[in-house]
Amino acid sequence: MSPENRTPLLDEKKPKRRRQPRQGRAPSPAAIGIAGFDFADYNRQSMQRPRGAAVNNAEAYDVRVETIQAQSNQSYWKVIGVYHLTPDENRDRHNAFVEVLDAAGHRVKDDNLRVGWIWEGKSDGPADPKRLDKPDSEPAADVPIEKNMTVTLWLEGADPSERVAGIHTRHEDEVGPGGGRNSRFHHSYYIVFQRGTEDATHEDHGGDSGAATGSSGSETGGNIDGRNGTAPSSQPFLFLHWPTDHMQIIQPFGVNPDLYRDFGFPGHEGVDIVAAENEFVYCVAPGVVKMVNTLEAYKVNNHPYGVHVRVQHQDGYETIYAHFNELRVQESQTVEAGQVLGLADHTGNVFGNPPDHLHLTLKHAGETAPGYRNNIIDPMPFLRSLLEAGSGAGPAIVTGLDTIQLRVAQKLGLNCNAPIDGSGNITPRLADPRLIRETGVEWVRLNFIVRGFSGPDDPRWIDTYRRIIAGLRGQGLQIYGLIGAEAVVDDPGNQFRDLPPAEPVDNAWIRTYVGNFRRIVELFGQDVTIFESFNEPNDWHRTGDGVQWKKAWIDPGWFAIMLQSVYDAVSGLPITLVSGPLLSTKDGNDAATYLPRIYQAGIDRFGWGQPDRPVPFDGVAFHPYVASNPDNPQTEIPARYQQYTAEVRDVIARFDTPGKPLFLSEIGWQNAEDRQPVCMEVGLTCALDDPAVDLCFWYGMQDDAGEAYGLYRRDGLTPGHRKPIFDRFVALATAPRSVQASRAWGKQPAARFIAELDSTPDGSVLETGRSFTKIWQMYNNGATTWGEGYRLVLTGGQALGAPQSIPVPPCRPGESANIAVTFMTPLAADEYTSTWSLTDPQGNLFGPPVWTSIVVAAAPVAAPLPPAAAAPHLLGQELVSVSSPLVATALGIVYQTYWLRVWAAAAEPNAQQEIQAAADDALSRIQALMKTS
């Protein structure tokens, strides 16, 4: 859901999530009667709704039905249909058309009945009600919807009425097959009320033999074509088929409230399930396809769900399947459980890098999860029965993960043991990096060993590792670096086995280690972007005295000091920093015991977790040697693997961020050669299929003295020295399948477009020589703080009088910033577009592009515009931080006044003095605004 997070253009296979500016207007279709649409057919569809349900195809346009609980035998007005008119029906109008029917389905003609209405922000009460006075060739009444209104309407009369809320026209442009257009601020709706009666048997009697009876609690359901889905069933509704080929949930229902609050939900409104690009998506239960949003439609409407399918099931249930690449079903088609609906992808509003997956939403007419809307409920109870019935332990459900879809080789690496020997020579296993490339992996774990040299500044050492790295990179391999105890000439010995003192410490060995760490990163950080620290600090590291080895080599308190010191030294460098890998063996999961002691030591000594003191690593390294020679690898290894990793993840969730990824930088078995392949395959498959794991590395490439983990025997590296495990490993690495991986928390910037906060929407028609200000609200969903060096730069179109780049306001991860750019319309009448993107201090583009698209109308020119140099930019090289839309509006007025004065001064004899006076006045007004904002 390609390693770069790029949004395709409209003419590519995957359309943009935010539509490019339109390049022209299509002709509107001829009128269809006086009303322009067949509202009588909509009436029939409404009355053929399922029991108690309103037909609401405007739900995707934010329109909702507010139901009421009528008293027994009480007559009331029930909403039975809400329709968003198609472009060919609407013809660029902006109205809410209203029809009122009696119980038999005939138009109500009652002079005492009115359409009541109000819009958000109207503080003096409802507007004047609308009469039901239109001719029979039109709907009974209509309510105009101006561009800034969000309207609620109802019926006023003797009986209570349900309400229709959220009606507005601020939607993207749409083009119909007949050429009709729903442009921004020009969308219309058709709403049908019908008289109903509440009694003890049925909550609603809605019409004659063509109208269904039912409860009054639904705002969705039914079918926009009048087909009601499957027939009522005496069996309860169940999911009968898992919707993808992977029983792995990567984002459950209700999580990440901060992210989904921007969309009006208290948390995730569905469930995200693993589905690689172009893999099948299946229907979970029998039903009828209620609606499809095709690729062609998505290019126009840019729906947040992208290319998607909605299926109506029995008992008022509806499922929504989002982010497709291609659909395999059509609207009104009957589908069965397990039938292919389409191919997965990442169209729509999706997050991740890249973010292929299936989003599944479940709705139930008359039921809504607390805090949600539109009948959305939690699908997990329906999925859980399939999980329990499935084989194995079910999916790995880890909250907070930011996952990517990879080929196996992109997640799998090989540990090449010692890259240099005791004399500082490159070992044969790394002297010819083609040997690694032949295994099919794309990653190598490289240990930076300084011993044998004077230090990391030794020219011989630098040359040796440059040759190693150049060889690996030349084979297309990526490098994961270990900077452990061997990165210091002197061994630390036993000095860190006991608790550190409570007071601040200044340890000479740690100081040297940290200095060497930074130097290695400075030397090779362009080719090695992921580094892990001290290897296996919780190893017992046996000593000759027979006593010291009973304690961990590095006490957790000392290890917290090392981690913090390393972080302080390299936090400004663009790398991913992984904590020193912790060891667990068949004798027990010591990593899960040692890790919380590190966290607690860091909290006590450094205040880890506070806003100004983050936990000093981007991922947790882990060496799960879970079994040495299992009798039944297929059952023993997965069970122990899941236990160990779940326990480590539980520690991370308690002390840190639940989605922080795992790096399995060693995993392996050194049992008998004939048993080793199956153990390797089962163990690595567990790690590869675990979405919480970013990378996993087999240990190792070649057997060493006392260790027989390798793909090659100790005595050589020719094909004749390959062990049986070699071919099995290559087959696994090159398997034509994809896996899910947790995205590394590197120091990479990212951004998400939130909204435009100005009053100049795309397509605005402006006169020549006018200034206007665009304000884009961007959310920082990356791992860096925007500050000095971060800019918004012109990447396409015309500058329109703006500088080529402007500074970005400071913004920390998880916060949003309002970025303002002031433009001047050109003198030539035409359509203009100016496109901008964010860049980091190194000039790398990130985040989605933003733009302004305007139409400049021809106008008489009273005076020539002064040269650009004659009109100074008000803000110079500094950007005013806009704190609210009100301040932004005031700034726009100041800018516009300034440019009008510049325009008027152009014909004056003392033009330059007048222009400078205008600039001085404008700057003083801006400074005053900033003091009050």
Side-chain angles (χ1 to χ4, degrees):
M1 10 187 177
S2 110
E4 58 180 2
N5 191 9
R6 186 176 66 88
T7 307
L9 300 175
L10 276 178
D11 58 354
E12 296 179 0
K13 190 174 184 181
K14 302 166 191 171
K16 287 178 67 66
R17 297 194 289 269
R18 183 168 176 259
R19 193 177 53 81
Q20 284 280 25
R22 55 188 171 86
Q23 299 301 318
R25 295 180 180 272
S28 298
I32 307 172
I34 296 177
F37 63 96
D38 191 352
F39 60 91
D41 183 59
Y42 280 141
N43 294 348
R44 287 189 291 272
Q45 293 182 38
S46 299
M47 290 187 293
Q48 292 171 347
R49 70 194 190 281
R51 178 183 177 89
V55 180
N56 182 7
N57 87 331
E59 178 187 10
Y61 296 84
D62 307 325
V63 179
R64 63 186 185 277
V65 177
E66 296 180 351
T67 61
I68 61 173
Q69 185 62 52
Q71 302 297 316
S72 179
N73 297 318
Q74 179 184 20
S75 178
Y76 70 105
W77 294 108
K78 178 173 180 59
V79 178
I80 65 169
V82 183
Y83 300 87
H84 176 264
L85 297 187
T86 67
D88 292 332
E89 293 172 329
N90 185 39
R91 298 175 295 152
D92 247 353
R93 292 177 290 189
H94 46 92
N95 297 76
F97 298 98
V98 179
E99 186 60 272
V100 183
L101 307 176
D102 61 20
H106 304 130
R107 172 176 286 189
V108 172
K109 297 185 178 181
D110 184 346
D111 291 339
N112 296 317
L113 199 59
R114 301 281 194 277
V115 177
W117 63 297
I118 194 172
W119 59 88
E120 291 180 6
K122 191 174 188 299
S123 59
D124 58 348
D128 292 337
K130 298 292 183 179
R131 298 174 60 89
L132 306 175
D133 57 1
K134 303 298 182 185
D136 290 344
S137 57
E138 300 179 44
D142 67 75
V143 174
I145 313 170
E146 300 304 328
K147 67 179 184 179
N148 292 320
M149 289 181 176
T150 300
V151 171
T152 298
L153 59 78
W154 61 93
L155 292 185
E156 293 182 352
D159 298 319
S161 171
E162 295 183 340
R163 298 157 66 97
V164 181
I167 307 169
H168 68 86
T169 62
R170 301 181 298 277
H171 302 293
E172 298 293 338
D173 294 6
E174 300 173 340
V175 179
R181 179 181 293 278
N182 283 337
S183 60
R184 188 170 173 84
F185 304 123
H186 292 80
H187 290 248
S188 294
Y189 305 85
Y190 179 60
I191 299 162
V192 186
F193 289 87
Q194 187 174 33
R195 188 186 298 277
T197 302
E198 192 82 1
D199 65 20
T201 305
H202 298 109
E203 295 179 353
D204 171 37
H205 293 276
D208 56 11
S209 59
T213 61
S215 70
S216 62
S218 171
E219 77 170 79
T220 61
N223 187 283
I224 59 176
D225 292 322
R227 289 168 288 272
N228 299 335
T230 55
S233 170
S234 59
Q235 299 296 321
F237 175 71
L238 297 171
F239 284 8
L240 303 177
H241 197 283
W242 190 264
T244 74
D245 288 326
H246 306 273
M247 296 185 76
Q248 294 181 348
I249 294 173
I250 55 178
Q251 187 176 202
F253 182 85
V255 301
N256 297 323
D258 291 342
L259 177 61
Y260 290 93
R261 191 176 295 114
D262 292 340
F263 304 98
F265 295 112
H268 188 218
E269 86 282 13
V271 168
D272 288 347
I273 301 171
V274 172
E277 183 177 356
N278 290 327
E279 288 190 340
F280 289 147
V281 173
Y282 308 100
C283 193
V284 299
V288 173
V289 177
K290 173 181 175 180
M291 187 271 277
V292 295
N293 196 55
T294 63
L295 183 65
E296 291 72 22
Y298 172 50
K299 290 179 180 180
V300 177
N301 61 34
N302 292 286
H303 194 284
Y305 283 161
V307 180
H308 68 278
V309 179
R310 300 174 185 239
V311 178
Q312 189 71 46
H313 306 283
Q314 71 177 62
D315 301 334
Y317 286 95
E318 177 187 340
T319 48
I320 304 174
Y321 310 78
H323 311 317
F324 283 77
N325 177 21
E326 177 184 320
L327 299 180
R328 296 290 178 88
V329 292
Q330 298 177 339
E331 194 170 301
S332 77
Q333 178 179 339
T334 300
V335 291
E336 300 299 328
Q339 184 167 339
V340 175
L341 301 175
L343 306 182
D345 198 24
H346 59 268
T347 56
N349 285 351
V350 288
F351 315 109
N353 185 30
D356 298 311
H357 68 274
L358 169 69
H359 172 94
L360 176 70
T361 290
L362 178 64
K363 297 186 174 186
H364 186 211
E367 178 184 4
T368 301
Y372 286 83
R373 61 178 188 271
N374 301 342
N375 300 326
I376 292 174
I377 63 173
D378 184 359
M380 276 307 302
F382 296 84
L383 292 168
R384 191 167 292 116
S385 61
L386 296 176
L387 297 177
E388 294 171 351
S391 60
I397 302 176
V398 185
T399 60
L401 284 181
D402 182 7
T403 60
I404 59 177
Q405 200 75 24
L406 302 173
R407 291 178 290 106
V408 170
Q410 293 174 304
K411 187 175 177 177
L412 181 59
L414 191 59
N415 194 316
C416 292
N417 313 75
I420 59 176
D421 61 22
S423 300
N425 300 312
I426 301 174
T427 55
R429 63 191 67 153
L430 275 170
D432 184 1
R434 290 176 299 177
L435 295 172
I436 304 170
R437 179 77 272 180
E438 289 173 356
T439 67
V441 301
E442 293 193 7
W443 283 87
V444 176
R445 185 183 186 223
L446 179 63
N447 188 0
F448 286 88
I449 300 175
V450 174
R451 293 177 189 173
F453 298 88
S454 62
D457 287 317
D458 187 325
R460 294 185 303 113
W461 184 85
I462 295 174
D463 177 69
T464 298
Y465 269 85
R466 278 182 176 163
R467 284 187 286 123
I468 292 173
I469 290 171
L472 295 172
R473 299 293 286 152
Q475 292 295 320
L477 295 163
Q478 300 189 72
I479 303 170
Y480 176 97
L482 164 63
I483 303 179
E486 293 166 302
V488 178
V489 174
D490 298 323
D491 189 277
N494 296 320
Q495 61 178 307
F496 301 122
R497 289 188 185 269
D498 296 317
L499 283 170
E503 63 271 11
V505 297
D506 181 15
N507 181 273
W509 191 93
I510 294 178
R511 191 166 60 247
T512 302
Y513 171 68
V514 170
N516 289 2
F517 200 115
R518 179 176 175 89
R519 180 58 178 151
I520 293 169
V521 172
E522 289 173 338
L523 286 167
F524 304 114
Q526 293 298 317
D527 292 297
V528 186
T529 57
I530 304 177
F531 288 91
E532 67 179 5
S533 56
F534 201 104
N535 191 60
E536 297 182 353
N538 64 324
D539 190 2
W540 306 121
H541 199 68
R542 293 179 181 242
T543 59
D545 60 13
V547 176
Q548 291 287 347
W549 68 267
K550 295 182 179 179
K551 298 179 181 180
W553 189 19
I554 310 295
D555 180 86
W558 276 113
F559 195 57
I561 293 172
M562 290 184 190
L563 291 173
Q564 185 63 56
S565 301
V566 168
Y567 175 83
D568 291 340
V570 301
S571 60
L573 301 177
I575 64 168
T576 295
L577 185 62
V578 179
S579 71
L582 304 182
L583 173 67
S584 289
T585 68
K586 63 182 180 60
D587 298 322
N589 191 11
D590 186 67
T593 303
Y594 187 90
L595 182 59
R597 296 173 61 196
I598 301 173
Y599 276 116
Q600 192 60 57
I603 293 170
D604 295 341
R605 182 177 288 267
F606 301 111
W608 287 0
Q610 299 301 314
D612 60 341
R613 206 62 165 169
V615 174
F617 42 87
D618 305 311
V620 175
F622 184 30
H623 292 175
Y625 290 96
V626 298
S628 59
N629 190 21
D631 294 329
N632 189 345
Q634 289 88 349
T635 58
E636 292 179 48
I637 292 175
R640 186 67 68 88
Y641 173 89
Q642 290 162 12
Q643 174 197 341
Y644 280 18
T645 54
E647 290 172 351
V648 170
R649 287 198 303 260
D650 179 65
V651 174
I652 297 171
R654 285 190 285 122
F655 288 92
D656 201 345
T657 305
K660 184 164 283 190
L662 296 178
F663 291 81
L664 307 188
S665 54
E666 287 184 23
I667 186 171
W669 278 263
Q670 59 171 341
N671 43 8
E673 284 193 3
D674 61 337
R675 292 177 51 78
Q676 197 174 32
V678 65
C679 292
M680 177 275 300
E681 187 171 48
V682 172
L684 281 182
T685 299
C686 289
L688 290 168
D689 288 342
D690 187 346
V693 172
D694 184 284
L695 291 170
C696 57
F697 293 82
W698 175 257
Y699 186 86
M701 182 178 180
Q702 186 181 19
D703 291 350
D704 285 319
E707 294 185 339
Y709 294 93
L711 306 182
Y712 288 85
R713 298 182 184 92
R714 184 183 178 188
D715 53 350
L717 291 166
T718 70
H721 295 99
R722 293 171 180 170
K723 296 162 59 178
I725 192 177
F726 181 91
D727 291 337
R728 188 77 67 92
F729 182 85
V730 172
L732 181 67
T734 58
R737 73 182 185 101
S738 60
V739 292
Q740 204 79 1
S742 181
R743 184 174 68 90
W745 288 24
K747 306 299 185 294
Q748 304 301 318
R752 176 163 54 88
F753 170 81
I754 299 296
E756 293 179 352
L757 302 180
D758 54 82
S759 57
T760 312
D762 289 347
S764 294
V765 179
L766 305 176
E767 66 271 19
T768 60
R770 171 186 167 181
S771 70
F772 65 98
T773 300
K774 292 295 295 183
I775 304 170
W776 293 292
Q777 187 176 58
M778 305 295 286
Y779 177 80
N780 184 346
N781 62 339
T784 62
T785 295
W786 305 345
E788 184 177 358
Y790 283 81
R791 305 184 71 83
L792 186 72
V793 301
L794 178 70
T795 55
Q798 298 82 22
L800 301 180
Q804 295 291 312
S805 70
I806 59 172
V808 172
C811 182
R812 295 188 302 181
E815 297 179 349
S816 60
N818 299 336
I819 307 173
V821 180
T822 299
F823 300 96
M824 169 64 69
T825 59
L827 295 180
D830 205 341
E831 293 188 10
Y832 295 92
T833 297
S834 185
T835 303
W836 300 71
S837 293
L838 292 165
T839 66
D840 63 16
Q842 289 73 43
N844 301 309
L845 299 177
F846 67 93
V850 294
W851 57 81
T852 182
S853 179
I854 59 170
V855 178
V856 177
V861 179
L865 188 67
H873 288 292
L874 296 183
L875 301 182
Q877 296 301 312
E878 296 181 1
L879 177 68
V880 173
S881 179
V882 180
S883 59
S884 72
L886 183 61
V887 173
T889 302
L891 280 173
I893 295 171
V894 172
Y895 290 130
Q896 185 172 356
T897 303
Y898 165 65
W899 281 106
L900 288 173
R901 290 181 62 179
V902 170
W903 184 276
E908 299 296 327
N910 56 345
Q912 197 59 47
Q913 294 179 3
E914 293 291 335
I915 291 171
Q916 187 60 53
D920 293 341
D921 181 59
L923 283 171
S924 66
R925 293 177 183 273
I926 291 172
Q927 291 168 357
L929 275 172
M930 291 304 99
K931 290 179 181 178
T932 59
S933 64

